[in-house]
Short mmCIF file of all heavy atoms in Angstrom, two decimals:
data_model
loop_
_atom_site.label_atom_id
_atom_site.label_comp_id
_atom_site.label_asym_id
_atom_site.label_seq_id
_atom_site.Cartn_x
_atom_site.Cartn_y
_atom_site.Cartn_z
N ASN A 125 15.30 82.72 36.58
CA ASN A 125 14.17 82.66 37.37
C ASN A 125 13.10 83.62 37.00
O ASN A 125 13.33 84.91 36.90
CB ASN A 125 14.55 82.80 38.70
CG ASN A 125 15.59 81.74 39.18
OD1 ASN A 125 15.54 80.64 38.63
ND2 ASN A 125 16.27 81.99 40.21
N CYS A 126 11.86 83.15 36.82
CA CYS A 126 10.71 84.07 36.51
C CYS A 126 9.44 83.35 36.66
O CYS A 126 9.44 82.06 37.16
CB CYS A 126 10.77 84.51 35.02
SG CYS A 126 10.76 83.17 33.91
N VAL A 127 8.41 83.93 36.58
CA VAL A 127 7.05 83.21 36.93
C VAL A 127 6.79 82.10 35.91
O VAL A 127 6.42 81.01 36.47
CB VAL A 127 5.85 84.31 36.59
CG1 VAL A 127 4.51 83.65 36.69
CG2 VAL A 127 5.98 85.36 37.75
N GLN A 128 7.22 82.16 34.72
CA GLN A 128 7.15 81.06 33.74
C GLN A 128 7.94 79.87 34.21
O GLN A 128 7.53 78.77 33.94
CB GLN A 128 7.48 81.52 32.30
CG GLN A 128 6.56 82.47 31.67
CD GLN A 128 6.67 83.92 32.04
OE1 GLN A 128 7.47 84.16 32.85
NE2 GLN A 128 5.93 84.81 31.42
N TYR A 129 9.07 80.03 34.76
CA TYR A 129 9.91 78.96 35.32
C TYR A 129 9.17 78.16 36.35
O TYR A 129 9.13 76.93 36.28
CB TYR A 129 11.20 79.47 35.91
CG TYR A 129 12.29 78.58 36.12
CD1 TYR A 129 13.28 78.37 35.33
CD2 TYR A 129 12.28 77.63 37.17
CE1 TYR A 129 14.37 77.46 35.45
CE2 TYR A 129 13.24 76.72 37.45
CZ TYR A 129 14.26 76.65 36.52
OH TYR A 129 15.27 75.67 36.81
N ILE A 130 8.52 78.86 37.24
CA ILE A 130 7.77 78.14 38.33
C ILE A 130 6.60 77.39 37.63
O ILE A 130 6.32 76.20 38.00
CB ILE A 130 7.25 79.22 39.32
CG1 ILE A 130 8.45 79.74 39.95
CG2 ILE A 130 6.16 78.48 40.32
CD1 ILE A 130 8.16 81.10 40.91
N VAL A 131 5.85 78.08 36.74
CA VAL A 131 4.76 77.34 36.02
C VAL A 131 5.23 76.09 35.29
O VAL A 131 4.65 74.99 35.41
CB VAL A 131 4.00 78.37 35.10
CG1 VAL A 131 2.95 77.54 34.23
CG2 VAL A 131 3.32 79.49 35.86
N LEU A 132 6.42 76.26 34.62
CA LEU A 132 6.97 75.03 33.89
C LEU A 132 7.34 74.04 34.87
O LEU A 132 7.07 72.77 34.62
CB LEU A 132 8.21 75.47 33.15
CG LEU A 132 8.04 76.07 31.77
CD1 LEU A 132 9.19 76.65 31.24
CD2 LEU A 132 7.39 75.07 30.76
N ALA A 133 7.96 74.35 36.00
CA ALA A 133 8.33 73.29 36.98
C ALA A 133 7.24 72.57 37.51
O ALA A 133 7.19 71.36 37.62
CB ALA A 133 9.15 74.09 38.11
N LEU A 134 6.19 73.24 37.81
CA LEU A 134 4.93 72.63 38.31
C LEU A 134 4.23 71.69 37.19
O LEU A 134 3.79 70.63 37.53
CB LEU A 134 3.89 73.66 38.79
CG LEU A 134 4.40 74.42 40.13
CD1 LEU A 134 3.35 75.50 40.45
CD2 LEU A 134 4.58 73.41 41.23
N GLY A 135 4.31 72.16 35.99
CA GLY A 135 3.59 71.44 34.90
C GLY A 135 4.44 70.21 34.55
O GLY A 135 3.84 69.19 34.28
N ILE A 136 5.79 70.27 34.72
CA ILE A 136 6.63 69.17 34.54
C ILE A 136 6.49 68.15 35.48
O ILE A 136 6.30 66.91 35.33
CB ILE A 136 8.21 69.61 34.45
CG1 ILE A 136 8.45 70.42 33.12
CG2 ILE A 136 9.12 68.47 34.58
CD1 ILE A 136 9.75 71.19 33.19
N TRP A 137 6.43 68.64 36.86
CA TRP A 137 6.14 67.64 37.92
C TRP A 137 4.78 67.08 37.73
O TRP A 137 4.66 65.76 37.96
CB TRP A 137 6.25 68.40 39.25
CG TRP A 137 5.69 67.66 40.34
CD1 TRP A 137 6.25 66.66 41.09
CD2 TRP A 137 4.43 67.89 40.97
NE1 TRP A 137 5.44 66.17 42.04
CE2 TRP A 137 4.31 66.84 42.07
CE3 TRP A 137 3.30 68.68 40.85
CZ2 TRP A 137 3.24 66.72 42.85
CZ3 TRP A 137 2.19 68.51 41.70
CH2 TRP A 137 2.22 67.61 42.68
N LYS A 138 3.81 67.72 37.47
CA LYS A 138 2.44 67.30 37.33
C LYS A 138 2.28 66.18 36.15
O LYS A 138 1.59 65.24 36.29
CB LYS A 138 1.35 68.37 36.91
CG LYS A 138 -0.06 68.01 36.88
CD LYS A 138 -0.63 67.70 38.29
CE LYS A 138 -2.05 67.55 38.08
NZ LYS A 138 -2.65 67.06 39.32
N ALA A 139 3.04 66.32 35.19
CA ALA A 139 3.16 65.41 34.05
C ALA A 139 3.99 64.05 34.44
O ALA A 139 4.03 63.17 33.64
CB ALA A 139 3.70 66.03 32.75
N GLY A 140 4.58 64.15 35.55
CA GLY A 140 5.41 63.05 36.04
C GLY A 140 6.82 62.97 35.36
O GLY A 140 7.56 62.11 35.54
N ALA A 141 7.21 64.09 34.78
CA ALA A 141 8.49 64.23 34.17
C ALA A 141 9.55 64.74 35.13
O ALA A 141 9.22 65.17 36.30
CB ALA A 141 8.48 65.10 32.91
N VAL A 142 10.74 64.87 34.74
CA VAL A 142 11.91 65.35 35.61
C VAL A 142 12.43 66.58 34.98
O VAL A 142 12.67 66.73 33.91
CB VAL A 142 13.05 64.27 35.63
CG1 VAL A 142 14.23 64.70 36.42
CG2 VAL A 142 12.55 62.82 36.11
N LEU A 143 12.43 67.59 35.88
CA LEU A 143 12.99 69.00 35.50
C LEU A 143 14.45 68.87 35.48
O LEU A 143 15.14 68.52 36.45
CB LEU A 143 12.51 69.97 36.47
CG LEU A 143 13.16 71.39 36.42
CD1 LEU A 143 12.61 72.11 35.06
CD2 LEU A 143 12.68 72.23 37.66
N VAL A 144 15.06 69.41 34.27
CA VAL A 144 16.48 69.46 34.20
C VAL A 144 16.71 70.89 34.03
O VAL A 144 16.59 71.44 32.78
CB VAL A 144 17.00 68.59 33.02
CG1 VAL A 144 18.53 68.79 33.00
CG2 VAL A 144 16.65 67.17 33.34
N PRO A 145 17.33 71.66 34.93
CA PRO A 145 17.58 73.16 34.81
C PRO A 145 18.88 73.37 34.05
O PRO A 145 19.96 72.75 34.43
CB PRO A 145 17.53 73.64 36.17
CG PRO A 145 17.92 72.58 37.03
CD PRO A 145 17.49 71.30 36.36
N PHE A 146 18.97 74.30 33.20
CA PHE A 146 20.13 74.80 32.54
C PHE A 146 20.21 76.18 32.78
O PHE A 146 19.35 76.97 32.35
CB PHE A 146 20.17 74.47 30.98
CG PHE A 146 20.11 73.05 30.70
CD1 PHE A 146 18.94 72.57 30.06
CD2 PHE A 146 21.02 72.10 30.95
CE1 PHE A 146 18.78 71.17 29.79
CE2 PHE A 146 21.02 70.73 30.61
CZ PHE A 146 19.80 70.25 30.05
#
Side-chain angles (χ1 to χ4, degrees):
N125 295 337
C126 60
V127 172
Q128 287 81 355
Y129 193 103
I130 295 167
V131 172
L132 277 170
L134 292 173
I136 291 167
W137 169 76
K138 183 75 173 171
V142 178
L143 170 68
V144 180
F146 300 111

